[in-house]
Amino acid sequence: MHHWSVRALVVGCVWTLLVGVVSAVLPDFVGWLWASIAAVAVGWGALLLLSARRQGDDPANDAEAPMALLQAELASCVHAFEAQFQAIETESTQVLGVLADAVDRLSDGFETLHASVKSLPSLVPAGTLDSSVCRSALRQAVAVLDQVLDTETTHEQASHTLAVLTEALSTRTAQANALLGEVNAIAKQSALLALNASIEAARAGDAGREFVVVAEEVTALSQRTEGFSTQMAAVLSAMQSLIGDAAVAMDAVNVQNTDGVRAVRAQVDQLRAMPEAAVELPGSAPLLDAQAAKIVEALQFQDIVAQIVGHVVGRVGGMREALVELGAVAHDAALARDAGAVTAVCRRAERVGQTLRTLAARTANPPVGRGATPGGSIELF
Amino acid sequence: MNKYVLAIDDSASIRQMVNFTLKSAGYSVVDAVDGRDGLARAKGQQFDLVLTDQNMPRMDGLALIRALRELPSYQRTPILMLTTESSDEMKSQGRAAGATGWMVKPFDPLKLIEVVRKVIG
């Protein structure tokens, strides 16, 4: 209840008591009863009228509406943050699934390819010059494949690192989600602040020093919000750094494996071109081709991973922009002492909401399509 | 006679793999980084086949197909979609836009060669 309303209530009660005492003390007169009732009614009517006018002039009412708007904007930001983090979690899970599939296929492909090429020398007839040339070429092929297998080992290590990084990403995201609880608390406190501000504005006329109490509350709120923003920015920065490392690791693996596949293909082509080998190798060369195709297929999985990670990085970058703006809002909120300043803060809060909505629109289309048809399927219309 | 293929994808790795696969089968391949780049290259040279991704910046695959079909020289040119999109709805949109076929990534290089041979010989 407002301070002015309490005063009016007290004055009304005193007035009623006074009229009652006067009517009791004065000599008995029939008209006094009605006069007393009328005096009490007029007194209460006047108090209500004055109270209504004071309420209309109360600067607190000017501050209350913008503060409620601020609360609504903060709540809207919270929902937007939640939606973004949910999307990050979904995409991170997608990264893990695709990566595991790629590792399986690559391992399978290289093992079979290596076994096939190891068996090739036994197919070439011994004792001829041509066959010795063939053996030389095959030895080279085996050496290249060993090199490719070394690359595969590097790939496995990089993939393992990526898996660890992605797991860390999920943990960071969970931490960020916990911090969102703080935003909720701030939004609730905004409501209390609006109430306090209105009470204080009513008191400001005769108790200016008490305004300091509200100012301290506003400052404390600001510090809390800024603390939250700093924490959130640190979490997101770490998350972005992790994902960036993952993307670099994947790029490195892509380059290594593509070069490796090209080397294998060149050796296979050389073997095919040799007359002696052409007689003995027709059964093995298509097998090598098929395995190389498997590797190319697996590499595409890695490319899909890289695209998803890139999308996540874009999403996180947009959220960081919004958080910087939110920090600025918190800072301005600390300095807001009148309705005009609060309205300006609200406008900035609206811009945070707008930034998040723009981000949502920009990242609405996933980089990797979804559908029921399995990869590799072909349909001619 | 050498056949020319225009391969459009915003992913450098995919462009590299398509290039590698089709060149090994004897085709000449020209790359483009997105739909708009692909359209510019198609206007500058007549290709026997266009192979395009769907999700790309600036201009996506469906928009590219529509733009190509408006060009007199590309009204009968085969256009294959090579994308991770695999929903029936997207395929219907592709068919309506004028796509010749729909391949879902990750592609099998041997099957890609097989399909390209089937479409342009």
Side-chain angles (χ1 to χ4, degrees):
Chain A
M1 186 181 289
H2 289 186
H3 192 65
W4 170 250
S5 302
V6 175
R7 281 184 184 178
L9 189 64
V10 172
V11 171
C13 290
V14 170
W15 173 250
T16 306
L17 193 64
L18 191 65
V19 172
V21 168
V22 169
S23 64
V25 171
L26 289 177
D28 191 22
F29 175 59
V30 178
W32 272 118
L33 177 62
W34 295 106
S36 300
I37 291 170
V40 169
V42 167
W44 278 106
L47 279 171
L48 286 172
L49 192 63
L50 275 173
S51 179
R53 280 188 180 174
R54 279 297 290 267
Q55 289 278 60
D57 297 339
D58 196 340
N61 289 332
D62 293 336
E64 206 165 354
M67 288 304 287
L69 188 62
L70 174 63
Q71 184 197 0
E73 282 298 330
L74 275 173
S76 167
C77 290
V78 169
H79 288 308
F81 273 124
E82 281 175 346
Q84 286 294 321
F85 281 123
Q86 182 64 46
I88 285 175
E89 283 181 338
T90 305
E91 285 164 357
S92 300
T93 307
Q94 203 179 354
V95 166
L96 284 173
V98 170
L99 186 62
D101 203 356
V103 170
D104 287 346
R105 282 168 184 256
L106 263 181
S107 302
D108 180 47
F110 273 111
E111 276 173 21
T112 314
L113 185 61
H114 191 236
S116 299
V117 175
K118 285 276 188 191
S119 69
L120 284 179
S122 63
L123 299 173
V124 182
T128 65
L129 179 65
D130 283 346
S131 72
S132 69
V133 173
C134 287
R135 283 177 184 282
S136 170
L138 290 169
R139 273 196 296 275
Q140 283 179 30
V142 172
V144 168
L145 284 172
D146 281 337
Q147 197 180 342
V148 172
L149 287 170
D150 287 343
T151 307
E152 161 65 1
T153 306
T154 309
H155 159 78
E156 279 184 347
Q157 287 168 351
S159 296
H160 177 69
T161 305
L162 181 59
V164 172
L165 290 174
T166 315
E167 202 173 316
L169 166 69
S170 297
T171 308
R172 294 279 187 188
T173 308
Q175 289 172 352
N177 264 325
L179 288 174
L180 282 174
E182 283 289 303
V183 182
N184 274 319
I186 289 164
K188 284 174 186 167
Q189 193 165 343
S190 296
L192 291 173
L193 185 65
L195 182 61
N196 287 342
S198 63
I199 292 171
E200 196 51 44
R203 285 182 176 175
D206 59 354
R209 66 180 183 280
E210 291 180 18
F211 189 78
V212 174
V213 177
V214 171
E216 284 172 353
E217 280 188 45
V218 172
T219 305
L221 172 68
S222 167
Q223 285 170 347
R224 192 176 171 191
T225 309
E226 279 185 307
F228 147 75
S229 293
T230 307
Q231 279 179 293
M232 186 71 100
V235 167
L236 290 177
S237 178
M239 194 160 71
Q240 201 167 22
S241 174
L242 284 173
I243 299 171
D245 290 345
V248 169
M250 289 310 298
D251 282 343
V253 169
N254 276 346
V255 169
Q256 284 176 328
N257 280 325
T258 305
D259 289 342
V261 169
R262 187 175 288 127
V264 173
R265 174 75 73 169
Q267 284 297 322
V268 169
D269 287 345
Q270 191 183 338
L271 287 170
R272 273 175 166 168
M274 295 175 71
E276 282 294 319
V279 175
E280 302 292 341
L281 299 177
S284 296
L287 180 62
L288 290 176
D289 276 350
Q291 295 310 319
K294 261 191 180 180
I295 294 165
V296 170
E297 201 177 342
L299 287 170
Q300 292 172 75
F301 276 109
Q302 294 182 355
D303 185 72
I304 290 170
V305 171
Q307 285 189 49
I308 295 169
V309 169
H311 193 68
V312 172
V313 168
R315 205 185 274 278
V316 172
M319 284 204 303
R320 289 192 68 194
E321 278 178 34
L323 276 173
V324 168
E325 187 65 25
L326 192 64
V329 170
H331 180 263
D332 288 358
L335 304 174
R337 291 289 183 274
D338 55 45
V342 171
T343 303
V345 171
C346 286
R347 286 204 189 100
R348 296 200 70 168
E350 281 174 17
R351 278 203 292 275
V352 178
Q354 184 58 44
T355 302
L356 287 167
R357 283 188 285 275
T358 304
L359 174 66
R362 205 171 63 218
T363 54
N365 290 329
V368 177
R370 299 177 184 110
T373 314
S377 66
I378 300 169
E379 191 177 339
L380 289 177
F381 299 139
Chain B
M1 183 185 165
N2 203 6
K3 304 274 185 172
Y4 286 86
V5 178
L6 175 60
I8 308 160
D9 202 304
D10 58 328
S11 162
S13 302
I14 295 292
R15 288 200 304 273
Q16 194 177 17
M17 281 180 270
V18 169
N19 204 307
F20 170 63
T21 301
L22 294 183
K23 274 186 178 169
S24 72
Y27 296 100
S28 294
V29 184
V30 173
D31 293 336
V33 298
D34 58 35
R36 200 180 291 179
D37 184 28
L39 185 60
R41 287 177 190 277
K43 284 177 179 173
Q45 178 186 348
Q46 181 63 43
F47 290 93
D48 299 295
L49 170 70
V50 177
L51 199 61
T52 180
D53 185 20
Q54 163 56 20
N55 297 319
M56 294 182 289
R58 302 206 300 171
M59 181 187 275
D60 65 28
L62 290 175
L64 170 69
I65 294 174
R66 291 186 193 106
L68 284 174
R69 290 303 185 210
E70 285 180 6
L71 301 174
S73 57
Y74 279 92
Q75 284 181 354
R76 291 181 165 275
T77 305
I79 304 176
L80 293 175
M81 292 290 285
L82 180 58
T83 173
T84 53
E85 294 283 358
S86 61
S87 67
D88 289 339
E89 188 192 340
M90 287 299 293
K91 284 183 189 173
S92 297
Q93 287 183 38
R95 187 198 294 256
T100 309
W102 196 280
M103 300 179 65
V104 180
K105 290 180 192 169
F107 68 88
D108 178 337
L110 300 178
K111 283 186 181 170
L112 175 65
I113 293 170
E114 191 183 318
V115 168
V116 170
R117 280 190 181 137
K118 192 173 181 180
V119 173
I120 60 171

